[in-house]
Amino acid sequence: MQLELGSRSLVGPAPRLRSLPHAPDKEREMLGAIILDNLLMIQVNDLLKPEDFYIVSHQLIFRTMIALNKRNEEINPITIGEDLPKEGLLEQVGVISFISQLTYGLPHVANIPHHARFIRGKTLLRQFITWTTKLVNEARDEEDEPGVVLKHVEQSISALTREFMEAY
């Protein structure tokens, strides 16, 4: 017997949790392409930040690539492995082998700015989900007047729109 409240069942499958938008293959392709051609860093320096990568190990690798590039050092699996903080997931997986696998079977990445904007777009979608969740929670808490909540919605959408326009 199923209990029902209005048109909603109180017994049944739990809602499926979905991960936030991300593109692990595009992230890997981006990092691998930079390892193969260090000059690509010039094209992505202004387009991406380490936080744009969803996978933490990719964030750490990109952060290290930025540091190596600033010091005019070659970006390759050895220099990344030597420069990378030896903690967390990468240490468990094996730094050099993990980094070397970024280039394995890598297709030619002809349009690196397009890949960078694609990765950045996933970041913007994650931010949108985070902001809207925060706004929904704010509305549910009923601590502010509706006008205040609406003002926060408007400010958040304006900020996200600015970020989107800058990324594209």
Side-chain angles (χ1 to χ4, degrees):
M1 174 184 209
Q2 262 192 354
L3 299 173
E4 293 198 17
L5 179 64
S7 63
R8 291 182 16 186
S9 171
L10 296 178
V11 181
R16 189 179 71 144
L17 295 177
R18 295 174 52 188
S19 65
L20 292 173
H22 65 288
D25 291 338
K26 295 277 190 211
E27 290 182 12
R28 185 185 71 80
E29 290 171 8
M30 172 70 68
L31 297 172
I34 293 168
I35 288 171
L36 294 175
D37 182 358
N38 291 188
L39 293 176
L40 294 175
M41 273 303 284
I42 296 167
Q43 296 181 41
V44 300
N45 247 347
D46 294 334
L47 297 174
L48 290 175
K49 302 175 294 212
E51 299 77 32
D52 290 326
F53 291 86
Y54 183 77
I55 298 171
V56 174
S57 56
H58 292 173
Q59 291 176 10
L60 295 171
I61 291 168
F62 191 67
R63 183 172 288 118
T64 302
M65 288 176 162
I66 291 170
L68 290 167
N69 188 56
K70 283 183 181 176
R71 295 192 311 257
N72 292 318
E73 294 182 31
E74 185 178 352
I75 299 170
N76 63 46
I78 307 266
T79 57
I80 293 170
E82 290 173 349
D83 209 59
L84 198 60
K86 307 290 193 288
E87 58 184 272
L89 176 65
L90 288 180
E91 186 175 13
Q92 294 170 13
V93 172
V95 177
I96 302 300
S97 64
F98 180 82
I99 297 166
S100 296
Q101 290 176 8
L102 291 173
T103 60
Y104 180 74
L106 186 67
H108 178 67
V109 182
N111 191 351
I112 205 79
H114 172 74
H115 272 58
R117 284 190 292 276
F118 187 87
I119 292 168
R120 181 72 181 127
K122 297 297 181 183
T123 301
L124 294 174
L125 291 174
R126 290 192 301 270
Q127 287 176 342
F128 179 73
I129 290 168
T130 300
W131 288 352
T132 54
T133 301
K134 180 181 173 188
L135 294 169
V136 166
N137 289 335
E138 184 179 336
R140 282 187 177 148
D141 290 345
E142 299 183 53
E143 291 177 5
D144 290 323
E145 294 293 321
V148 173
V149 174
L150 186 58
K151 183 87 168 156
H152 291 160
V153 169
E154 184 180 26
Q155 291 169 344
S156 295
I157 289 173
S158 293
L160 187 61
T161 301
R162 278 192 304 278
E163 283 197 47
F164 178 80
M165 298 306 286
E166 289 171 7
Y168 293 91

